[in-house]
Amino acid sequence: MGGNRRKNNNDGLSDSEGLKCVDLPTTPCPEIGTVLVTGGSGYIGGILAPELLARGYQVRVMIRRGFMVNESRWPGADVVVADALKKDQLNKALEGVHTAYYLIHSLLMGPEEFEAADIQAAINFREAAREEGVKRIIYLGGLGDRQASKSRHLRSRVKVGDALSAGSVPVTTLRAAVIIGSGSASYEIIRYLVTTMPFILLPHWCSNKCHPIGVRDLIKYIVGLLETPETSGKTLEVCGNDILSYENMLRIFADVLDKKIVFVHVPFSNIKLFSYFVSLLTPVPAQITAGLMEGLQDDAVCKTDNIRKYIPFEPLSYKEAIVRAFSREEQDNVSTRWSDSYPPAHELAIKLHELDAEPIFSTAYSYDTDKDAASVFNSVCRVGGKAGWFNSNWMWRVRGGIDRLLSGPGSLRGRKSRSRLEVNDVIDFWRVEDLQKNQRLLLRAEMRMPGKAWLEFNIVDGGAHTKLSITAHFHTKTALGKLYWYIFLPFHDLIFSDLLVQICATAKEAKSELKTKHA
């Protein structure tokens, strides 16, 4: 599958609303040729690619699996499938590329088990870039003490940057601290703590200083580097306008929301314990919170602002970045999210159609309605998230809570958009595996369980009536998996039968909302 390409036919962006570089002071230079964006399905890569397309660049987006391709996500882009650990695939991805953005990060992988693999990926990329004549690599790293950092993640980021820079292709390294933007993991941790907790415990490292940056400004700097050739080979630091302690960041967020919170300073400061409990209280799982919170033990402050002489603009303050992020959420206009690329290697998970045989267990329920297929489909696509699952929400929350205790994604993960759904989007502890308009929604379970599970909604338009069915698939080869299936089987009838009824009951309302939105 390495090196397979798909060219989207549409030219330009289908929706330019929310572009971040409209006031960027640098000048686009699309004449340089192809620009490669690795990590296209990740948070930063997913924002960067549309920005480059809007500025006229010939963009190639690199992802690890062709199943992830969505025709509407990068209209006008060339999509290439490649794994950074397979050098031959990288050669094909980098063929004819002028500048490559290296946005492959190890945070989701785990800084211990995958550190060697992450460095090897950087070495592979460096060598493939040299062989293919790439003129430049732009790498996004972390901000902090390179020599004495207590963060394994930051140390890993430094090693990756060093591995990339050891080759003959010039590397521009951009170092940033906490990124504040709708959909970023750091922002969601802060928001959930502030909005859900009556009190917040503060260990001593919450007094450490940080230089947060709004995602809008970060993207402007990343694009600006491409359009400023003299930054080639340099290491530059980026930040917003405020140097804040982590405690101040929480307090400012609370003030913005006019939320009264009691802050309690505590003498204990075990990072692993704090990150675990933060993961239980927020949508961000322990694997990510642990990596992010390790970085809180260090000051993360820019030592120089020399990037501003190359790309001169006034960054947002921390408060302004918060207000912008919160506004985009309220408008249901979040374009990318940390969950797009979590859990690790989710895009490599076996799909339902890839099983060697039919799932060992399945159970199906159906319901006939006089609502039209489009209305029913639209209602189906609104399940989960803050709105819940129409019925028995407490059961879904209990299952999600158990999953989070076991370090799974849990139900707090919610969904990126209340009104839109695409392949690869998450819905609580599920991920959209297939989406066929007015016909099918297939969800793949990402919760911790002794097997693989899918939830399939099918809609059949019968003219005078519509048939909606739901099928739970479960595949396991272990005795524990079989026991798990039979324990939960009695709950299926209780949950799914009424779920079908409620979906159809709200179908007319859902259609009305959709029309209003597009009017």
Side-chain angles (χ1 to χ4, degrees):
M1 186 177 289
N4 294 338
R5 293 179 185 169
R6 281 169 77 172
K7 181 74 175 180
N8 292 339
N9 294 324
N10 295 337
D11 293 326
L13 288 175
S14 59
D15 182 7
S16 61
E17 182 182 356
L19 289 173
K20 296 169 173 52
C21 296
V22 290
D23 58 345
L24 183 62
T26 55
T27 303
C29 47
E31 66 278 1
I32 64 174
T34 301
V35 178
L36 177 70
V37 177
T38 64
S41 60
Y43 178 62
I44 297 298
I47 300 174
L48 175 61
E51 295 287 338
L52 295 173
L53 288 165
R55 294 175 77 80
Y57 289 98
Q58 181 180 337
V59 178
R60 182 177 301 160
V61 179
M62 187 178 112
I63 57 177
R64 283 208 295 171
R65 188 174 174 102
F67 184 83
M68 304 274 295
V69 174
N70 187 313
E71 291 290 337
S72 64
R73 188 164 190 177
W74 307 296
D78 180 17
V79 180
V80 60
V81 179
D83 187 334
L85 291 175
K86 299 177 180 178
K87 186 171 170 295
D88 61 323
Q89 297 183 6
L90 283 176
N91 282 92
K92 295 177 181 178
L94 287 162
E95 183 181 357
V97 167
H98 179 278
T99 298
Y101 283 98
Y102 194 85
L103 303 175
I104 302 171
H105 282 240
S106 65
L107 179 59
L108 303 182
M109 299 180 182
E112 287 184 340
E113 309 87 52
F114 291 88
E115 182 176 347
D118 212 40
I119 293 174
Q120 185 60 54
I123 294 173
N124 290 348
F125 196 87
R126 176 190 76 200
E127 292 305 306
R130 176 185 61 80
E131 293 170 7
E132 297 302 324
V134 173
K135 300 298 186 294
R136 188 179 180 193
I137 296 172
I138 299 176
Y139 167 63
L140 177 60
L143 184 63
D145 192 326
R146 288 174 53 89
Q147 305 301 324
S149 175
K150 301 181 182 69
S151 168
R152 294 170 298 174
H153 171 61
L154 179 59
R155 293 198 300 269
S156 173
R157 293 290 83 213
V158 170
K159 291 177 181 178
V160 167
D162 290 343
L164 289 171
S165 300
S168 59
V169 180
V171 177
T172 302
T173 298
L174 195 64
R175 304 177 65 209
V178 174
I179 301 170
I180 300 298
S182 56
S184 79
S186 297
Y187 168 79
E188 290 204 0
I189 288 174
I190 296 171
R191 180 171 67 84
Y192 266 79
L193 288 176
V194 169
T195 56
T196 62
M197 296 296 294
F199 65 91
I200 295 178
L201 303 181
L202 300 172
H204 69 84
W205 35 259
C206 279
S207 62
N208 291 341
K209 301 298 183 183
C210 177
H211 229 147
I213 184 169
V215 69
R216 171 179 291 271
D217 294 331
L218 178 62
I219 293 296
K220 288 167 71 173
Y221 281 126
I222 291 175
V223 174
L225 290 177
L226 175 65
E227 299 172 354
T228 312
E230 54 267 39
T231 61
S232 181
K234 298 184 182 298
T235 295
L236 301 163
E237 298 177 343
V238 291
C239 54
N241 272 339
D242 302 313
I243 298 177
L244 302 167
S245 69
Y246 297 106
E247 177 182 349
N248 285 340
M249 291 170 66
L250 290 166
R251 289 183 179 275
I252 292 172
F253 206 117
D255 288 341
V256 168
L257 299 183
D258 196 24
K259 178 84 182 317
K260 304 301 180 184
I261 297 176
V262 177
F263 292 90
V264 182
H265 291 269
V266 295
F268 52 91
S269 59
N270 186 282
I271 285 288
K272 289 185 178 179
L273 182 63
F274 269 92
S275 63
Y276 177 72
F277 279 107
V278 167
S279 75
L280 297 180
L281 300 169
T282 72
V284 185
Q287 292 90 331
I288 300 180
T289 57
L292 291 174
M293 294 186 71
E294 275 187 355
L296 304 187
Q297 299 174 96
D298 302 316
D299 285 335
V301 178
C302 287
K303 296 179 180 179
T304 174
D305 63 352
N306 58 351
I307 193 171
R308 296 196 187 186
K309 73 179 182 182
Y310 298 111
I311 310 169
F313 67 86
E314 189 66 21
L316 300 173
S317 68
Y318 172 70
K319 184 175 181 179
E320 289 171 328
I322 285 174
V323 171
R324 283 179 178 269
F326 198 79
S327 176
R328 287 184 72 86
E329 287 190 332
E330 290 295 300
Q331 297 168 10
D332 195 22
N333 193 26
V334 179
S335 56
T336 64
R337 191 174 182 237
W338 61 268
S339 57
D340 292 345
S341 54
Y342 176 86
H346 68 82
E347 71 273 22
L348 303 180
I350 292 178
K351 309 303 183 288
L352 181 60
H353 72 274
E354 294 175 338
L355 290 176
D356 294 334
E358 291 292 319
I360 295 178
F361 300 105
S362 62
T363 180
Y365 301 84
S366 62
Y367 183 79
D368 288 343
T369 177
D370 59 357
K371 306 293 177 60
D372 63 277
S375 298
V376 173
F377 177 78
N378 189 54
S379 187
V380 167
C381 289
R382 293 172 185 265
V383 297
K386 292 181 180 179
W389 289 76
F390 296 100
N391 75 316
S392 305
N393 282 324
W394 68 271
M395 291 187 184
W396 295 96
R397 294 192 186 103
V398 167
R399 182 62 183 89
I402 294 172
D403 188 57
R404 182 48 67 90
L405 288 171
L406 298 174
S407 296
S411 56
L412 277 180
R413 190 168 61 163
R415 48 187 290 168
K416 181 166 59 181
S417 170
R418 299 185 299 271
S419 59
R420 300 184 305 277
L421 205 58
E422 298 177 345
V423 170
N424 190 51
D425 279 355
V426 299
I427 301 177
D428 300 340
F429 38 64
W430 305 91
R431 187 175 297 271
V432 178
E433 183 170 303
D434 187 32
L435 186 67
Q436 298 176 24
K437 188 175 181 180
N438 299 337
Q439 297 179 37
R440 186 190 195 214
L441 171 64
L442 178 64
L443 306 178
R444 181 178 71 253
E446 293 186 333
M447 67 193 88
R448 302 279 181 154
M449 60 171 61
K452 304 179 187 303
W454 292 264
L455 195 61
E456 181 178 13
F457 296 86
N458 280 294
I459 300 166
V460 178
D461 189 350
H465 68 277
T466 299
K467 181 178 181 179
L468 171 64
S469 63
I470 183 170
T471 305
H473 303 282
F474 188 68
H475 191 70
T476 183
K477 296 181 180 179
T478 68
L480 179 61
K482 295 175 182 178
L483 178 63
Y484 175 91
W485 171 261
Y486 286 115
I487 288 176
F488 281 92
L489 187 59
F491 294 97
H492 290 179
D493 186 65
L494 179 63
I495 295 175
F496 294 148
S497 295
D498 191 51
L499 175 59
L500 294 175
V501 174
Q502 296 302 323
I503 287 174
C504 293
T506 59
K508 183 177 181 180
E509 177 184 353
K511 182 179 180 183
S512 175
E513 290 175 359
L514 186 65
K515 283 185 175 180
T516 300
K517 179 178 178 182
H518 287 285

